[in-house]
Amino acid sequence: QKEVEQDPGPLSVPEGAIVSLNCTYSNSAFQYFMWYRQYSRKGPELLMYTYSSGNKEDGRFTAQVDKSSKYISLFIRDSQPSDSATYLCAMSYNNNDMRFGAGTRLTVKP
Amino acid sequence: DTGVSQNPRHKITKRGQNVTFRCDPISEHNRLYWYRQTLGQGPEFLTYFQNEAQLEKSRLLSDRFSAERPKGSFSTLEIQRTEQGDSAMYLCASSSTGVGYTFGSGTRLTVV
């Protein structure tokens, strides 16, 4: 079993839809949780960062962490074609050795 | 400062050859990381520097891999006696506080 599990998709939604992306993990020591966006042939770009449990909102993006269920989510409201990318969850116990999910490939169709 | 710079962008090499990649982090960032990413997978941690000190190494980093960060500035990752399984995207990232990383665009290695 991988430490971080993420459904690779692909996920296709119409423009304006609410997108839900999720990851589960097995290491209860993880304290730092992040979501990255990666466009083709580019490095990952940090979208959201959360320490421990709770919710965090930034514009159209909301990150949720449920440590009791070892489950994290990223919601994208009013999705746009420019949101089409691969979304990677990442987590760490010490904010150094980050463990990534495999990434979910999202396409938002106009 | 335009972010994390990696060179070369692409490298094709024959099996058994040595290759070296360079990473120039954001100048005020004291932490530097190397990751490897294969197609359809997330990045895998290889090693981490704080200033010039290499503080963590993954077991993925076999004896054929070596990384340096002289003077705590740029870093190099060398792979000796390359194998086809080394074909991947090698990503460098830097951070100041450890709160999230800034990644470079990576070096894509193809071993033929």
Side-chain angles (χ1 to χ4, degrees):
Chain A
Q1 182 188 8
K2 291 183 180 180
E3 274 191 301
V4 182
E5 297 278 1
Q6 183 175 12
D7 185 343
L11 181 62
S12 181
V13 301
E15 183 175 355
I18 297 174
V19 176
S20 173
L21 303 166
N22 312 293
C23 288
T24 59
Y25 62 95
S26 57
N27 189 342
S28 58
F30 287 147
Q31 296 278 8
Y32 301 88
F33 303 92
M34 282 144 280
W35 285 94
Y36 284 83
R37 177 174 61 196
Q38 187 173 27
Y39 292 114
S40 181
R41 300 182 185 183
K42 296 287 188 182
E45 169 195 11
L46 180 66
L47 277 178
M48 301 285 286
Y49 165 81
T50 308
Y51 174 72
S52 195
S53 284
N55 296 353
K56 190 170 185 178
E57 189 172 322
D58 184 3
R60 297 184 295 111
F61 298 89
T62 299
Q64 291 184 350
V65 175
D66 182 349
K67 291 190 71 180
S68 62
S69 302
K70 298 190 181 70
Y71 187 87
I72 70 170
S73 301
L74 177 71
F75 298 95
I76 308 174
R77 291 183 298 281
D78 188 24
S79 55
Q80 303 295 310
S82 58
D83 295 329
S84 299
T86 296
Y87 289 80
L88 298 152
C89 62
M91 48 199 78
S92 171
Y93 66 92
N94 64 359
N95 214 28
N96 287 323
D97 177 4
M98 279 203 301
R99 308 300 171 92
F100 283 82
T104 300
R105 188 169 181 176
L106 171 68
T107 301
V108 181
K109 295 185 175 181
Chain B
D1 192 337
T2 57
V4 178
S5 176
Q6 290 189 248
N7 288 288
R9 289 297 308 277
H10 305 276
K11 178 71 176 179
I12 299 175
T13 191
K14 291 184 178 180
R15 189 173 51 186
Q17 297 294 305
N18 299 344
V19 294
T20 300
F21 310 139
R22 176 178 170 126
C23 172
D24 287 273
I26 293 173
S27 56
E28 60 266 29
H29 286 181
N30 62 344
R31 303 182 188 200
L32 186 146
Y33 309 83
W34 284 99
Y35 280 77
R36 180 173 68 187
Q37 186 176 24
T38 54
L39 195 63
Q41 298 298 316
E44 294 175 297
F45 172 78
L46 293 179
T47 191
Y48 154 59
F49 290 86
Q50 182 155 331
N51 299 313
E52 67 275 12
Q54 189 173 20
L55 298 184
E56 287 188 47
K57 289 172 61 173
S58 165
R59 65 180 183 276
L60 295 174
L61 214 64
S62 75
D63 291 345
R64 297 185 297 106
F65 288 70
S66 62
E68 294 182 344
R69 193 183 183 197
K71 302 179 183 178
S73 55
F74 71 93
S75 176
T76 58
L77 178 68
E78 180 183 17
I79 309 174
Q80 296 182 327
R81 305 181 303 283
T82 53
E83 302 172 356
Q84 285 190 321
D86 297 331
S87 296
M89 174 78 85
Y90 289 83
L91 292 162
C92 176
S94 69
S95 173
S96 56
T97 63
V99 178
Y101 304 167
T102 302
F103 279 90
S105 293
T107 294
R108 182 170 295 281
L109 173 66
T110 302
V111 181
V112 298

